[in-house]
Structures are given as structure tokens and as C-alpha cells.
Amino acid sequence: MGKFFGTSGARGVTNKEITPELALRVGYEWVLYLAEHYSPTGVLDLTIAHDNRHGAQMLAYAAIAGAQAAGAQVHFIGCASTGVMCSYMKDQGHEGGILITGSHMSPERIGIIPMLGDGRYASASMTDSLEDRMGSAKTPCSCAQWDKVLPVDHSRGSGMAYLTSVARNVDVQSIFPRHFKVLLDPGNGTACLVAKQLFERLGCEVIMVNGTIKPVPDRKAEVRASTCTEAMSLVRTRG
């Protein structure tokens, strides 16, 4: 099947190199790997989330199907940023997760990222093992019995849990009285869902550009001086 996994998941062109079939296999094999190494007895809990790119939800649903087939209890939090997913997964004590995201790559590219329950990306040795399993298994051989296929938990409130987690880890009482004026440019990405609320919760006046979530951003996703001219200008002119 070739080499898919690099330093941060499997990445490529949506629905060409990164397909629902691949997402299903990753979901299935990642659950079996986690079960062997982190949850040898009992039901394994897996968080799945996706970003706002074209095809991201499709791939997430495929990964969900694979994880369910392997017997996992899937907790689907929908469209969420990496920080939100990691915070939720860790707070809930889940063994692992899968994040479907293109991060800062161009809009046609996306990634499938296996994650551990503490928020770390799977290591190279783990994804090498995962890739070996996917290449050697011709057909699934450890599927859950029909009455052990668990319904998906469509979890809500992960964004609020993230805001609460951040507030626990910063000095809100020192920040709030200073009433910072903050410019946010989330690049039409998943941070649109939580960033403004986060800084307002810290007492900031928020100016936002590119703040509407879109599958293709209004500026290039890669953060460079050449792509953030509007934000740079507003920082100077709006104080």
C-alpha cells in the first residue's frame, strides 16, 4: 500500500491519496493497536474530530466506522481545533483519538492523525507498526461481535471544556483587569469556534479578521508575513 505516515500522521490530497478507505483502515487498526497496548481489558474510548476543510467530515465518518468495527466506544466532537480535541480527550481519560485536519497546508490537502490520550501525536514507531498492520491485513479479522458494536457518542461541550481548561492554567486575575486589545486572525479555521470567546473570557477587547469558518480560507493558511498583511496592518492602526 506504500508509505503514508510521516512525522504527524498520513497526509495528502483529499479523496485522492487520503481516502475514506484509508481513514476506515486507520480507525480500525489504531483501535486494535491501542487496545493491545493501553486497554487490554474493557472498552476502549476514542475521541474523533475534524477540521472545516472539504472532505474532512467524510473522512471522520469513515474513521468512526473503522473504530466502531474494532469495538471502540467512539466519542465524536465534530469540527474542533487540535487544542480543543486534546483538552477534551485528556479530561475525559480516553485512551486515544484520531484527528482529521489539514492544519496549515493548502486547502486540497488533509491529514489523518492518530493520537494518544494525553494529546501526543503517535510516535514514528507507533505509526510504523500501524502501517505494517494495515499493509499485512487483507481483511479485518478482529471485528467486534454484532451486539458489541457501540453507538457513537456525539459529545457536546468540548469547546467550553477547552476554555475552562485554559482558564485553569493562566492567571486570569492578573490578565482580566488589564483589558488588553487583541487582534485575532484564525484564518477561517477551527479556532474561529473558540478564540474570540477565550480572549473575551480573559477580559480582552477582541478585533477579529478572517473569523468566519470556511472550507477554503480567505487568506493562505500558511502563516507568513506575505499572507497576514491585513492582520499586521490592523495591529498597527488599531493599537
Side-chain angles (χ1 to χ4, degrees):
M1 59 178 284
K3 180 73 175 175
F4 280 100
F5 290 98
T7 56
S8 56
R11 295 176 183 262
V13 177
T14 302
N15 222 23
K16 182 180 178 181
E17 296 156 341
I18 307 300
T19 63
E21 179 183 10
L22 177 63
L24 186 144
R25 292 301 302 277
V26 172
Y28 177 82
E29 296 292 354
W30 184 231
V31 166
L32 295 184
Y33 179 91
L34 290 173
E36 289 178 10
H37 293 84
Y38 295 93
S39 181
T41 60
V43 175
L44 183 141
D45 290 282
L46 192 82
T47 305
I48 293 183
H50 62 84
D51 71 10
N52 49 297
R53 294 179 175 228
H54 287 297
Q57 186 184 65
M58 169 190 73
L59 295 167
Y61 285 149
I64 287 170
Q68 285 181 291
Q73 172 63 72
V74 175
H75 304 269
F76 181 46
I77 63 173
C79 186
S81 63
T82 305
V84 169
M85 176 182 167
C86 292
S87 178
Y88 175 82
M89 182 169 57
K90 186 174 180 180
D91 285 350
Q92 296 297 313
H94 297 169
E95 283 79 13
I98 295 174
L99 178 61
I100 308 295
T101 181
S103 185
H104 60 283
M105 298 187 297
S106 55
E108 76 279 4
R109 299 180 68 81
I110 205 159
I112 304 173
I113 303 177
M115 305 185 77
L116 297 174
D118 60 4
R120 288 178 294 156
Y121 286 8
S123 67
S125 62
M126 292 175 184
T127 54
D128 284 348
S129 176
L130 182 58
E131 192 135 20
D132 289 342
R133 299 170 70 112
M134 292 169 62
S136 61
K138 302 303 180 184
T139 55
C141 56
S142 300
C143 288
Q145 186 174 304
W146 64 272
D147 59 345
K148 303 300 183 183
V149 177
L150 302 173
V152 175
D153 170 30
H154 292 270
S155 302
R156 299 290 182 262
S158 57
M160 186 58 65
Y162 172 70
L163 298 178
T164 302
S165 177
V166 172
R168 285 201 307 262
N169 287 280
V170 300
D171 190 344
V172 178
Q173 291 184 339
S174 294
I175 298 170
F176 198 93
R178 301 183 69 176
H179 301 296
F180 289 111
K181 182 186 287 188
V182 178
L183 184 130
L184 300 178
D185 181 359
N188 307 107
T190 53
C192 295
L193 301 174
V194 292
K196 188 171 187 288
Q197 298 94 310
L198 171 61
F199 284 93
E200 287 179 340
R201 190 166 177 167
L202 298 176
C204 301
E205 176 187 347
V206 176
I207 302 164
M208 181 176 270
V209 295
N210 300 312
T212 302
I213 195 164
K214 296 181 179 181
V216 179
D218 291 331
R219 64 161 173 80
K220 291 184 178 180
E222 183 71 55
V223 180
R224 295 283 185 266
S226 60
T227 62
C228 298
T229 54
E230 181 183 10
M232 293 164 63
S233 175
L234 285 171
V235 168
R236 293 191 294 265
T237 60
R238 298 289 294 274

